[in-house]
Amino acid sequence: MGTRGSGRSVTSRALDLLGAFDVGHPTLTLTELAARCAMPLATAHRLVGELEAWRALERTADNRYQIGTRLWEIGLLSPFPRRLREIAMPFMQDLYERSKENIHFAVRDGHDAFYIAKITGHRAVPIISRDGSRLPMHPTGVGKVLLAFASAEFIETYCARPLGRCTRHTIVEAGRLRRELAITRERGYALTVEEMTLGSCSVAVPVLDTDGSVKAALGVVVHSVRRNLARYVPDLRSEAAKIAEVMSEHRGDPYPGFVHDLPEEA
Amino acid sequence: MGTRGSGRSVTSRALDLLGAFDVGHPTLTLTELAARCAMPLATAHRLVGELEAWRALERTADNRYQIGTRLWEIGLLSPFPRRLREIAMPFMQDLYERSKENIHFAVRDGHDAFYIAKITGHRAVPIISRDGSRLPMHPTGVGKVLLAFASAEFIETYCARPLGRCTRHTIVEAGRLRRELAITRERGYALTVEEMTLGSCSVAVPVLDTDGSVKAALGVVVHSVRRNLARYVPDLRSEAAKIAEVMSEHRGDPYPGFVHDLPEEA
């Protein structure tokens, strides 16, 4: 049992070092890594050496660590995002060709909008999302539509939590958010106006299963000088329906469902 | 030192379980995992349990294991492929819009063409490459151009190894490959005709640094009924030059260089 205990601890500590990196911290020093994992420096040093030897981590010229290309390659084997991307991206590509704007495909994961795929180009407004991003649900187009079509219980739980402010236009009052979600459900699509980022606004539609449950969201983000966001809705709906149809053909696949639920946050 | 030794071994064995998955083996049973890692079943069982608890692995409904979505998310933080994709993809998107064909961006990693980015759509010919793929260099367009513009020593090493056959059109004789590479260098672009996959052919150009060294390759893969592949060359060259320019602006970044070299294979 001693080996068992120490093995568990070593593996989970090594994984925790990988989990210490995030979008805001793409590179970390050894000291920062040890601090973020609440780990003695000597332990971090030894484990980081092993992760580097296996190329799970890479060291930069200025002696910082970053996630290694080998983990990128292995991560891309993950069937859940890979299958969703294979299904959604050709339809997103068609939307991009017609709009030349940022196209997003996201699912719900815990309380986040989790960006499975993004298509962008030179003419699209620069925004912070990218493949693998997590953003809060209430200020984003894809997030708002995923939230609006979630269960009443989930909406209540979400609205009961503090609603973070991203810009002065973010909806941070629970009552106003509930009304906005009711409008979104009724209208069948979500709108945001500079709620995530000043200068950009978005429109998103649900990707609905045949039983009416929301599986994903498809959205477009444009420069906020563009008016009449609703003009994107017919095209978004048409492509969302095609994505839903291909997804339903794969429903029998022995993969985890299309809505991930994280354990309640620690 | 006892803890040290057992720690090293535990971490590297846990990582080896992740490395057991590949494109041909996206899901594995516990028994298959133990066999591929030459590990006792009990050890594999314990480590897989820890990897699953951390969501580095996911279990399917039919009790197989696969790379978890959490590793996909962490892998996407890897700066080397992320930066290259950010640089190349808007230019690739422009190429896709004009051609509606498969667009590839690849670098050399060891003896492989390593596919950093691919853009495809409904009208492109179906092919096996995808983000994070590795394919041999001699039968692929991007691989052939990366090989043709590599050092003379590298070319000799590559040609001295067995040249795998993918189709009846694959060039598997070293002498013929050397001549083909000389033609490719002289012409400035690579052509393949059903050498990787029957039914598709490709054209690719180098992404050259100011010192003339090859950093990456940009290519298009089309249905083999299309003739006159050379017509794609001016557009590919123009976009490759733009990509090279943006890459050169980032040359001072403290990241590993744009050509990865794996340790010589074990």
Side-chain angles (χ1 to χ4, degrees), chain A residues 8 10-11 15-16 50 54-55 60 66-67 73 78 93-94 96-97 100 122 134 254-255 262, chain B residues 8 10-11 15-16 50 54-55 60 66-67 73 78 93-94 96-97 100 122 134 254-255 262:
Chain A
R8 176 184 304 272
V10 170
T11 303
L15 292 169
D16 286 345
E50 294 184 51
W54 197 82
R55 293 184 298 126
T60 66
Q66 60 191 24
I67 296 293
E73 186 178 357
S78 179
Q93 198 61 252
D94 293 345
Y96 173 81
E97 275 179 56
K100 313 290 190 236
H122 285 112
R134 290 174 179 280
Y255 297 126
L262 290 173
Chain B
R8 175 183 305 273
V10 170
T11 303
L15 292 169
D16 286 346
E50 294 185 50
W54 197 83
R55 294 183 298 125
T60 65
Q66 60 191 23
I67 296 294
E73 187 178 356
S78 179
Q93 197 61 250
D94 293 345
Y96 173 81
E97 276 179 56
K100 313 289 191 239
H122 284 112
R134 291 174 179 280
Y255 297 125
L262 291 174

Side-chain angles (χ1 to χ4, degrees), chain A residues 161-181:
Chain A
R161 298 163 70 239
L163 299 172
R165 180 181 288 289
C166 303
T167 73
R168 63 180 182 273
H169 304 290
T170 310
I171 299 174
V172 294
E173 301 84 20
R176 225 187 113 205
L177 180 58
R178 281 192 204 94
R179 287 193 297 279
E180 172 85 2
L181 296 174

Side-chain angles (χ1 to χ4, degrees), chain A:
Chain A
M1 284 309 287
T3 324
R4 200 183 188 90
S6 108
R8 176 184 304 272
S9 153
V10 170
T11 303
S12 67
R13 278 188 290 183
L15 292 169
D16 286 345
L17 287 166
L18 300 180
F21 295 86
D22 59 35
V23 174
H25 303 84
T27 69
L28 292 166
T29 65
L30 184 62
T31 310
E32 288 165 346
L33 271 166
R36 285 174 75 86
C37 297
M39 200 181 284
L41 198 60
T43 309
H45 181 258
R46 175 170 57 81
L47 292 174
V48 161
E50 294 184 51
L51 292 165
E52 190 187 357
W54 197 82
R55 293 184 298 126
L57 293 181
E58 292 166 351
R59 205 188 317 191
T60 66
D62 55 357
N63 225 22
R64 301 176 68 82
Y65 291 92
Q66 60 191 24
I67 296 293
T69 306
R70 188 170 182 186
L71 269 198
W72 178 76
E73 186 178 357
I74 289 175
L76 289 178
L77 297 171
S78 179
F80 172 72
R82 193 179 85 196
R83 296 292 296 279
L84 280 183
R85 286 171 63 88
E86 283 170 0
I87 291 171
M89 288 194 80
F91 300 106
M92 295 171 67
Q93 198 61 252
D94 293 345
L95 281 168
Y96 173 81
E97 275 179 56
R98 291 187 289 265
S99 66
K100 313 290 190 236
E101 305 283 3
N102 296 286
I103 311 294
H104 284 148
F105 182 82
V107 298
R108 177 167 76 74
D109 189 11
H111 292 108
D112 297 326
F114 187 38
Y115 287 71
I116 297 294
K118 173 187 180 179
I119 293 183
T120 189
H122 285 112
R123 282 154 293 185
V125 59
I127 48 173
I128 60 167
S129 65
R130 48 181 195 73
D131 292 347
S133 283
R134 290 174 179 280
L135 290 173
M137 300 177 81
H138 59 290
T140 57
V142 285
K144 209 186 270 186
V145 85
L146 288 167
L147 185 53
F149 286 86
S151 69
E153 294 84 345
F154 184 83
I155 293 175
E156 267 323 291
T157 309
Y158 192 95
C159 291
R161 298 163 70 239
L163 299 172
R165 180 181 288 289
C166 303
T167 73
R168 63 180 182 273
H169 304 290
T170 310
I171 299 174
V172 294
E173 301 84 20
R176 225 187 113 205
L177 180 58
R178 281 192 204 94
R179 287 193 297 279
E180 172 85 2
L181 296 174
I183 294 168
T184 301
R185 265 191 307 277
E186 199 171 323
R187 188 171 52 195
Y189 61 89
L191 294 174
T192 67
V193 181
E194 305 201 325
E195 291 159 52
M196 183 71 222
T197 311
L198 291 177
S200 71
C201 55
S202 67
V203 52
V205 303
V207 177
L208 296 171
D209 205 349
T210 42
D211 66 1
S213 64
V214 62
K215 294 301 176 198
L218 184 66
V220 57
V221 182
V222 305
H223 199 286
S224 57
V225 298
R226 307 277 160 87
R227 296 296 171 194
N228 191 13
L229 282 171
R231 72 189 167 98
Y232 294 105
V233 171
D235 204 9
L236 282 169
R237 278 191 176 144
S238 156
E239 299 303 325
K242 294 177 201 165
I243 292 171
E245 192 181 332
V246 183
M247 281 172 74
S248 77
E249 290 165 11
H250 291 275
R251 200 183 297 130
D253 294 351
Y255 297 126
F258 283 122
V259 174
H260 268 221
D261 261 307
L262 290 173
E264 277 311 296
E265 48 201 86

Side-chain angles (χ1 to χ4, degrees), chain B:
Chain B
M1 284 308 286
T3 323
R4 201 183 187 89
S6 107
R8 175 183 305 273
S9 152
V10 170
T11 303
S12 67
R13 277 187 290 182
L15 292 169
D16 286 346
L17 287 166
L18 300 179
F21 295 87
D22 59 36
V23 174
H25 303 84
T27 69
L28 292 167
T29 64
L30 184 63
T31 310
E32 288 165 347
L33 271 165
R36 285 174 75 87
C37 297
M39 200 180 284
L41 198 62
T43 309
H45 181 258
R46 176 169 56 82
L47 292 174
V48 161
E50 294 185 50
L51 292 166
E52 189 188 357
W54 197 83
R55 294 183 298 125
L57 292 182
E58 291 166 352
R59 205 188 316 189
T60 65
D62 55 356
N63 226 20
R64 300 176 68 83
Y65 290 92
Q66 60 191 23
I67 296 294
T69 307
R70 188 169 182 186
L71 269 199
W72 178 76
E73 187 178 356
I74 289 175
L76 289 178
L77 297 170
S78 179
F80 173 72
R82 193 180 84 195
R83 296 292 296 278
L84 280 183
R85 285 172 62 89
E86 283 170 0
I87 291 171
M89 288 194 79
F91 301 105
M92 295 171 67
Q93 197 61 250
D94 293 345
L95 280 168
Y96 173 81
E97 276 179 56
R98 290 187 289 266
S99 67
K100 313 289 191 239
E101 304 284 4
N102 297 286
I103 310 294
H104 284 148
F105 181 82
V107 298
R108 177 166 77 74
D109 189 10
H111 291 109
D112 297 326
F114 186 38
Y115 288 70
I116 298 294
K118 173 188 180 178
I119 294 182
T120 189
H122 284 112
R123 283 154 292 184
V125 60
I127 48 174
I128 61 167
S129 65
R130 48 179 195 74
D131 293 346
S133 283
R134 291 174 179 280
L135 290 173
M137 301 178 81
H138 59 287
T140 58
V142 285
K144 209 186 268 185
V145 86
L146 288 167
L147 185 55
F149 286 86
S151 69
E153 293 84 345
F154 183 83
I155 294 175
E156 268 323 293
T157 309
Y158 192 96
C159 291
R161 300 162 68 238
L163 300 172
R165 179 182 287 288
C166 303
T167 72
R168 63 179 180 273
H169 304 290
T170 310
I171 299 174
V172 294
E173 302 85 20
R176 224 187 113 204
L177 180 59
R178 282 193 204 93
R179 286 193 296 280
E180 172 85 2
L181 295 174
I183 293 166
T184 300
R185 267 192 305 279
E186 198 171 322
R187 188 173 52 195
Y189 61 89
L191 294 173
T192 67
V193 181
E194 305 200 324
E195 291 158 53
M196 184 69 222
T197 311
L198 291 178
S200 71
C201 56
S202 68
V203 52
V205 302
V207 177
L208 294 172
D209 205 348
T210 43
D211 66 0
S213 64
V214 63
K215 295 299 176 198
L218 184 67
V220 57
V221 182
V222 305
H223 199 286
S224 56
V225 297
R226 307 277 159 87
R227 295 295 170 194
N228 192 13
L229 283 171
R231 73 190 168 100
Y232 294 105
V233 171
D235 203 10
L236 282 169
R237 278 190 177 144
S238 156
E239 300 302 325
K242 295 177 201 166
I243 292 171
E245 193 181 331
V246 183
M247 281 173 74
S248 77
E249 290 164 12
H250 291 277
R251 199 183 297 128
D253 295 351
Y255 297 125
F258 283 121
V259 174
H260 268 220
D261 261 307
L262 291 174
E264 277 310 297
E265 48 201 86

